[in-house]
């Protein structure tokens, strides 16, 4: 039955994807690729932003080891959430971290994640199940570090609300 949501809760239609399981362990090829990226990041021959821009990063994004590499090598001032071929309207948002007196905090690591232009956190379904599924495993994510002004620009696409929901 197709009906308009009447509350902030999500209404699902039978047969539509809802959840995917959290990722298991990466296979051998994925582990090797993550290790190669770690070596390249440590050597300075690539950057977290360059890796996240690559569409090939999509298959690695759910894995904690990949996410830890991005966090460890988080760029300063400008952080990429989406691969270059991600559908959607481009979006840039600036996060500013300040103390109680509105003085900027430099060097703060910011974690950002969001839904896609479909309103999905995972590639295959709107949500990742399990403890903190969307927080830990959202496909579109990044880490960035605030600059001297306490700012970090997040570069992405405009996210959509959850499917069949009135949540923004």
């Amino acid at each position: 039955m197709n009906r308009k949501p009447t509350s902030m809760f999500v209404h699902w239609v039978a047969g539509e994807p809802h959840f995917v399981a959290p990722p298991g362990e990466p296979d051998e090829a994925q582990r090797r690729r993550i290790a190669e990226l770690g070596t390249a990041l440590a050597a300075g021959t690539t950057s977290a932003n360059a890796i996240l821009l690559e569409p090939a990063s999509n298959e690695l994004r759910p894995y904690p080891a990949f996410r830890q590499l991005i966090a460890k090598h988080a760029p300063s001032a400008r952080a990429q959430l989406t691969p270059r071929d991600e559908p959607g309207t481009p979006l840039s948002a600036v996060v500013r971290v300040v103390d109680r007196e509105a003085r900027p905090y430099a060097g703060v690591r910011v974690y950002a994640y969001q839904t896609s232009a479909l309103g999905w956190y995972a590639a295959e379904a709107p949500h990742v199940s399990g403890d903190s599924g969307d927080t830990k495993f959202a496909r579109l994510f990044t880490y960035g570090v605030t600059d001297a002004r306490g700012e970090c620009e997040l570069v992405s696409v405009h996210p959509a609300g959850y499917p069949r929901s009135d949540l923004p």
Side-chain angles (χ1 to χ4, degrees):
M1 176 176 188
N2 236 350
R3 56 184 189 182
K4 184 177 180 194
T6 57
S7 71
M8 64 181 235
F9 297 102
V10 178
H11 300 275
W12 298 100
V13 173
E16 287 186 341
H18 188 140
F19 287 101
V20 294
E25 291 297 316
D27 65 27
E28 182 57 36
Q30 292 165 329
R31 280 194 299 275
R32 188 171 45 256
R33 181 74 179 125
I34 291 168
E36 289 168 356
L37 291 171
T39 300
L41 283 164
T45 58
T46 193
S47 67
N49 280 339
I51 291 168
L52 291 173
L53 268 169
E54 286 301 317
S57 72
N58 276 331
E59 77 165 308
L60 302 176
R61 286 170 177 258
Y63 296 108
F66 177 80
R67 298 169 85 83
Q68 290 163 3
L69 277 179
I70 300 301
K72 181 178 179 182
H73 298 278
S76 181
R78 188 170 198 264
Q80 187 71 37
L81 277 94
T82 53
R84 69 174 50 87
D85 66 347
E86 185 71 23
T89 303
L91 173 72
S92 176
V94 176
V95 173
R96 186 161 192 253
V97 181
V98 297
D99 65 16
R100 290 183 181 168
E101 285 78 39
R103 292 180 300 226
Y105 262 122
V108 174
R109 187 179 326 187
V110 175
Y111 172 57
Y113 69 99
Q114 69 174 71
T115 62
S116 68
L118 293 174
W120 292 15
Y121 286 110
E124 306 84 14
H127 297 282
V128 180
S129 65
D131 184 36
S132 302
D134 295 335
T135 303
K136 287 183 178 179
F137 305 112
R139 181 178 64 88
L140 302 180
F141 81 96
T142 196
Y143 289 87
V145 177
T146 58
D147 61 15
R149 296 178 312 239
E151 296 179 355
C152 182
E153 179 184 13
L154 305 174
V155 181
S156 188
V157 297
H158 193 277
Y162 302 144
R164 302 192 186 285
S165 167
D166 60 358
L167 290 172

